[in-house]
Amino acid sequence: MTDAETLFRERAARKVMIFDGGYGTAIQKYGLTEADYRGDLPLEKDQKGNNDLLCLTRPDVVKAIHKAYIDNGADMIETNTFSSTQIAMADYGCEHLVRELNIAAARLAREACDEAEAQDGVKRFVTGSIGPTNKTLSISPQVNDPAFREVDYDTLKTHYREQCDALIEGGVDFILIETCFDTLNAKAAGMAAKEAEAAAGRSVP
């Protein structure tokens, strides 16, 4: 079976490929309440705005958005996991759900793509979305202490690795490090992705 990268490059050589669009804006259109975000999960903090959590509590919404992008011509869709690291999820007290979130998100995107392919025979690609987190490795958040860092490189890479492992387990074709404002953060994410790819034993560029 031809791997995803080969198929992707072959298609890109023939046509302009279409990526999906934003998930935050698409989710807003549903007018969800805090109860929608929370579902039945016993969480202490308010979950309104925790879009990634919907992969567990409202998978119907996330999958509907995937399907809408595919129906409108997307060749590739991303997982709804922009903030699915322990560092980012700490704001919502959801650090313990990170692995489950990423696996669920990858499977939702994979299902949407596979269902579309079953109908028309055209493969769609799934990319695991990795955001920058709310920490930076290169800049101190304290003006009076330039050497201070809220997180170190190894810790950030470990958190990214947890996310990458789960996304790959869930079935993504690629890893997308996106909207990263710090090149050292991007390096940590890239290293984590390469390590997770090697551990998985399959190609996940």
Side-chain angles (χ1 to χ4, degrees):
M1 182 178 178
T2 307
D3 64 58
E5 181 180 3
T6 300
L7 291 171
F8 182 90
R9 291 182 180 277
E10 288 175 351
R11 191 178 306 175
R14 300 193 312 268
K15 58 166 285 190
V16 174
M17 295 181 68
I18 300 173
F19 198 54
D20 63 5
Y23 281 79
T25 50
I27 288 168
Q28 285 177 9
K29 295 178 182 178
Y30 283 82
L32 302 177
T33 66
E34 199 275 341
D36 288 307
Y37 283 90
R38 175 181 298 273
D40 296 326
L41 297 174
L43 301 168
E44 296 182 0
K45 295 185 178 181
D46 190 304
Q47 298 301 315
K48 185 72 180 288
N50 188 1
N51 291 334
D52 296 15
L53 188 61
L54 296 173
C55 294
L56 297 178
T57 57
R58 288 297 304 272
D60 58 313
V61 170
V62 177
K63 192 169 179 179
I65 294 170
H66 289 325
K67 186 177 185 301
Y69 282 130
I70 292 170
D71 290 346
N72 281 278
D75 295 284
M76 175 186 283
I77 61 171
E78 61 188 309
T79 56
N80 182 44
T81 53
F82 186 80
S83 299
S84 292
T85 55
Q86 285 197 38
I87 289 175
M89 279 291 149
D91 288 346
Y92 293 100
C94 293
E95 303 97 315
H96 61 294
L97 297 174
V98 164
R99 183 174 181 276
E100 185 181 357
L101 269 174
N102 283 282
I103 292 174
R107 287 177 177 168
L108 282 171
R110 181 85 274 157
E111 286 173 9
C113 288
D114 290 349
E115 287 169 8
E117 182 178 358
Q119 292 180 350
D120 60 18
V122 178
K123 179 176 176 61
R124 277 78 170 183
F125 304 95
V126 177
T127 182
S129 171
I130 295 181
T133 79
N134 51 11
K135 308 295 182 187
T136 175
L137 290 172
S138 298
I139 304 170
S140 171
Q142 298 184 7
V143 177
N144 296 324
D145 187 0
F148 176 77
R149 296 292 186 272
E150 290 183 296
V151 64
D152 60 42
Y153 178 88
D154 289 337
T155 299
L156 184 59
K157 183 166 74 71
T158 297
H159 289 312
Y160 276 135
R161 172 66 190 276
E162 179 183 27
Q163 182 177 25
C164 291
D165 284 338
L167 287 169
I168 292 173
E169 182 178 341
V172 302
D173 297 307
F174 308 108
I175 296 291
L176 174 69
I177 300 163
E178 60 169 319
T179 327
C180 206
F181 53 86
D182 185 327
T183 52
L184 194 54
N185 281 41
K187 178 180 179 180
M191 288 300 296
K194 295 300 290 183
E195 290 176 2
E197 177 187 34
R202 70 177 178 91
S203 175
V204 188

